[in-house]
Amino acid sequence: QDLVLLPGMVYGLMIHSVQSAQTLFFSIFYTPEGNDNQKKTRQQTVMRRILEEHLFQTHSHNDVKSSKQASHAEEDWLFRFGGESKSGAGGGLDHTGGILRYGAGPLFEEPKLVVWKQVDQVAYTLICDPLDNPLLANNFLTLLIHELNDHFRPRGTHRGAPPITEHYTSRPDEILGILHYLLPGGQLLFTNFQMYKFLKGQIGLMLQQTK
């Protein structure tokens, strides 16, 4: 299989709670700025903004539901991966998400695009440059959420199992291994179903070797 990489790389990825702007489960940043001494402030600022957006969408449930219904057909094979959440614990919508824009300022030297998805009270957030393709970013998050759930919470997991976020904090190397294939070097991929099946097979082999 030939991978089609886009030029440049994303700014960073965060996995965090939408119940607190202080709870970060995993993050990786691909630029020097993303790892500077303002890293924590930058993370909490983005997390707080997403928490606000999530609450707004939850309170506007009917409007969001109708807009999602209109977009399901467009997502085709990708949608079924994004719709596999098994719980709606905590109330509100099982899924929220969107795109935020940040202008240049104290936190970001250059404008940024933030694409995020929330499933089961956990937000998966990709920080990109404005010229990055938001559809590819959204597709990446859908596949990442599916792959993380498939790995850390496989079918047959019993109800008393620890929350998936405990695995995120205790097994970051396995997340990095998955990202090596889905977001190599911080670069977004053009991915169709055949390519995803290939990548999923490679991820499975890699994770077997780490056990």
Side-chain angles (χ1 to χ4, degrees):
Q1 294 283 343
D2 295 325
L3 298 181
V4 181
L5 298 171
L6 293 182
M9 65 181 66
V10 301
Y11 188 87
L13 170 74
M14 300 191 302
I15 303 175
H16 54 97
S17 173
V18 291
Q19 297 175 309
S20 165
Q22 308 291 323
T23 307
L24 180 70
F25 304 118
F26 173 87
S27 69
I28 180 171
F29 291 89
Y30 295 95
T31 69
E33 181 187 83
N35 293 289
D36 67 13
N37 58 11
Q38 290 200 83
K39 179 177 179 178
K40 185 174 181 179
T41 301
R42 190 178 294 113
Q43 289 173 334
Q44 290 180 346
T45 300
V46 173
M47 290 161 64
R48 191 176 304 112
R49 176 84 180 276
I50 289 174
L51 187 153
E52 293 169 356
E53 290 289 323
H54 166 70
L55 291 176
F56 174 78
Q57 290 186 22
T58 300
H59 293 153
S60 306
H61 184 194
N62 291 334
D63 290 341
V64 173
K65 185 176 179 182
S66 63
S67 68
K68 283 192 171 188
Q69 288 171 343
S71 66
H72 284 183
E74 299 171 9
E75 295 187 9
D76 196 15
W77 63 272
L78 278 165
F79 179 74
R80 71 174 182 272
F81 293 135
E84 289 189 352
S85 167
K86 293 182 284 296
S87 73
L93 291 175
D94 285 353
H95 304 79
T96 52
I99 299 175
L100 306 173
R101 288 175 171 79
Y102 284 86
L107 293 182
F108 297 107
E109 290 183 4
E110 303 291 337
K112 292 291 177 279
L113 202 65
V114 176
V115 183
W116 66 279
K117 281 177 173 284
Q118 175 275 144
V119 178
D120 292 342
Q121 305 300 308
V122 179
Y124 302 80
T125 300
L126 193 67
I127 304 175
C128 310
D129 289 323
L131 295 180
D132 286 330
N133 187 322
L135 179 59
L136 291 182
N138 184 72
N139 291 351
F140 158 75
L141 290 176
T142 299
L143 296 179
L144 176 67
I145 292 166
H146 171 73
E147 203 57 43
L148 292 175
N149 274 269
D150 201 38
H151 175 56
F152 290 119
R153 193 165 57 187
R155 295 184 187 280
T157 301
H158 60 86
R159 287 179 175 271
I164 195 170
T165 52
E166 286 192 18
H167 297 300
Y168 292 167
T169 55
S170 64
R171 298 158 69 182
D173 288 350
E174 293 169 42
I175 300 177
L176 290 172
I178 292 170
L179 291 175
H180 175 74
Y181 292 95
L182 294 185
L183 191 70
Q187 293 181 297
L188 290 168
L189 299 174
F190 285 107
T191 308
N192 58 23
F193 186 56
Q194 290 301 117
M195 176 60 69
Y196 173 65
K197 286 200 301 183
F198 169 75
L199 293 173
K200 185 173 181 62
Q202 296 296 108
I203 290 169
L205 290 173
M206 176 273 298
L207 292 173
Q208 282 291 334
Q209 293 171 359
T210 62
K211 290 184 177 180

